[in-house]
Amino acid sequence: MFKWEVVDPAPGQPVGAMQRLRWGKTVGLGVQHVVAMFGATFVFPVVMGLDPNLAILFSGLCTILFLVVCKNRVPSYLGTSAAFVGGVAAIRALGGDSADVTGAIMVSGLVLLAVGVFVHVAGPRMVHRVLPPAVTGAVVMLIGFNLAPVVASVYWPVDQWTALLTATFLVLAAILFPGFWGRIAVFLALVFGFVLSYLLDVLTGPITSCGGDGCTPEPHNRVAFDGLGDAAWFGLPSGTLDDGVAAVHGPSVQLVFVLLVLPGVIALIAENLGHVKAVAEMTGDDLDPYMGRALGADGAATALASLFGGSPTTTYAENIGVMSATRVYSTAAYYIAAAVAILLGLCPKFGVLVASIPGGVLGGITLVLYGMISLVGAKIWVENGVDFAEPRNLVGLAAGMVAGIGGVTLDFGNGFEIGGIALGTILVIVYFHVVALRDRRTGPGVPAAGTPVVGTTGSSEKPASPDDGEATQSP
């Protein structure tokens, strides 16, 4: 399993998963993978109010866990997942702290682990029946759009002009910068916004603002390096988070909070299955036998990280981009990347630097990233040919989408309620399959007696069955 064939391919020739270049070149490729995953992996913990150092550390540890479980046949890096950001925002809005957040995410990781075991035994087709592209696209979309108020009320008001310039830079960098530089546009936008904020502090002085409802605007510097000089170069992550919980902490499990983040599991299933299919297409290897292993490994990694207060994980499309550009699929390079990430996670000074990222910069980045999460749902629909002339796709998804995006709640009394993403996901899955069951009885595309026809009345394309198509990878 750890014996890679050393190769020296001609330019343009691929390097397989169980092959490697000389160690010098392999180290260089590993560092490149770290740069590719770096921006999103530490931005999302900051957005969720968790410790970025711990997230980087566990991204390395969890990547090693993933590679071992998948027998080094699925090249992948596990970075911080964005799928739970909406659920985390909902937990904090209800008064939950970081321990509640990591407790809910830990349970979700265990659920994903169970799904992985099931898929390994039964095969991936059963998952596609329960979560067809129409459903996964809707859930991913409502997760992203549910985050819009977070940008508007928490980050954007801190420094609106810096946020706007950072967002503009991110958009331009993503579409204008060539190759690899375009793929790390998030990281470059972060650096741009950081430097811009520092220059504005020097040239114009402190800004008077605040982020969040009910706060009092106060003068403050955009960039604050408090504690940077005192932080050690090497040590375990420590200190406290903004809500007073220790950076390294044990999880607290409460059902009401667990239900808020469980929909993120659906996004992780889509990401992992899509990742395995994308890698298989690039390498030409048959990776279907490893789909269950990939899901289970990601679930175990998410649960492990959350057990110590870390962030949830997922396979990263950014690193697929690096493999696509280099045609080097060697899992040896991912072990190098994991080792570099672990070293960064063990540098407290690096953690203080990350914690000093200005709110306005996060406002610009999240403005784009949250929108991208939303539109990945539409991408899943388009790539899988989801036909909205079919009632199961139009009527079946409509109520859940509005409930999830609009924050509709269902109160069961005694302080227990389901709302937002959780309620929206439940309605999307249940209503879709209710209408799909009707379709199987009456024939696809043929309205049952008394069923109103909404929108177009027909399509020349083949109707998509509930289990047609595969979930696709999100960025």
Side-chain angles (χ1 to χ4, degrees), residues 159 193-201 206-207 220-226 353 355-359 361:
D159 189 352
F194 205 105
V195 172
L196 174 63
S197 298
Y198 179 77
L199 292 176
L200 288 174
D201 281 342
I207 186 174
H220 61 90
N221 287 328
R222 298 168 180 83
V223 181
F225 294 111
D226 299 339
L353 185 64
S356 65
I357 298 172
V361 177

Side-chain angles (χ1 to χ4, degrees), residues 118-455:
F118 174 79
V119 171
H120 185 68
V121 173
R125 187 170 179 80
M126 186 63 68
V127 177
H128 300 146
R129 285 184 177 274
V130 178
L131 301 174
V135 171
T136 55
V139 172
V140 172
M141 184 174 287
L142 66 85
I143 286 174
F145 283 135
N146 195 266
L147 295 169
V150 177
V151 181
S153 63
V154 177
Y155 298 118
W156 192 269
V158 175
D159 189 352
Q160 60 177 1
W161 294 112
T162 297
L164 179 61
L165 290 173
T166 302
T168 303
F169 179 91
L170 173 53
V171 171
L172 293 177
I175 62 175
L176 296 180
F177 285 11
F180 175 74
W181 297 104
R183 283 191 288 273
I184 61 169
V186 173
F187 175 70
L188 296 179
L190 183 78
V191 174
F192 168 83
F194 205 105
V195 172
L196 174 63
S197 298
Y198 179 77
L199 292 176
L200 288 174
D201 281 342
V202 172
L203 297 175
T204 65
I207 186 174
T208 300
S209 66
C210 72
D213 297 332
C215 66
T216 302
E218 296 179 352
H220 61 90
N221 287 328
R222 298 168 180 83
V223 181
F225 294 111
D226 299 339
L228 182 61
D230 298 330
W233 281 103
F234 183 82
L236 292 171
S238 60
T240 57
L241 303 172
D242 290 340
D243 58 2
V245 176
V248 180
H249 61 267
S252 172
V253 178
Q254 297 189 47
L255 179 60
V256 65
F257 296 143
V258 170
L259 292 175
L260 291 174
V261 300
L262 273 179
V265 173
I266 297 175
L268 290 186
I269 292 172
E271 289 174 358
N272 278 278
L273 295 182
H275 181 94
V276 173
K277 288 179 66 64
V279 172
E281 184 175 342
M282 287 191 300
T283 62
D285 297 331
D286 178 15
L287 297 181
D288 280 358
Y290 296 94
M291 282 189 173
R293 287 178 176 269
L295 288 169
D298 191 11
T302 292
L304 175 65
S306 300
L307 185 62
F308 294 91
S311 303
T313 62
T314 188
T315 48
Y316 256 34
E318 288 89 338
N319 299 91
I320 284 186
V322 174
M323 289 191 293
S324 177
T326 62
R327 301 201 70 191
V328 177
Y329 313 114
S330 172
T331 49
Y334 281 99
Y335 281 99
I336 299 297
V340 173
I342 291 171
L343 291 176
L344 286 175
L346 293 174
C347 179
K349 196 176 288 289
F350 168 75
V352 174
L353 185 64
V354 171
S356 65
I357 298 172
V361 177
L362 292 176
I365 291 175
T366 54
L367 183 72
V368 180
L369 285 182
Y370 292 173
M372 288 174 64
I373 294 171
S374 307
L375 295 178
V376 164
K379 179 173 177 284
I380 292 174
W381 286 342
V382 172
E383 290 185 348
N384 290 279
V386 176
D387 183 5
F388 284 97
E390 296 292 338
R392 63 168 166 260
N393 296 330
L394 187 61
V395 180
L397 303 179
M401 292 288 291
V402 172
I405 295 172
V408 175
T409 60
L410 195 61
D411 191 348
F412 292 89
N414 297 321
F416 180 76
E417 64 179 25
I418 301 176
I421 297 173
L423 179 60
T425 299
I426 293 171
L427 294 180
V428 163
I429 295 174
V430 172
Y431 286 171
F432 176 88
H433 286 290
V434 166
V435 181
L437 179 62
R438 187 289 319 253
D439 279 356
R440 285 194 289 270
R441 290 178 174 176
T442 62
V446 181
T451 301
V453 178
V454 185

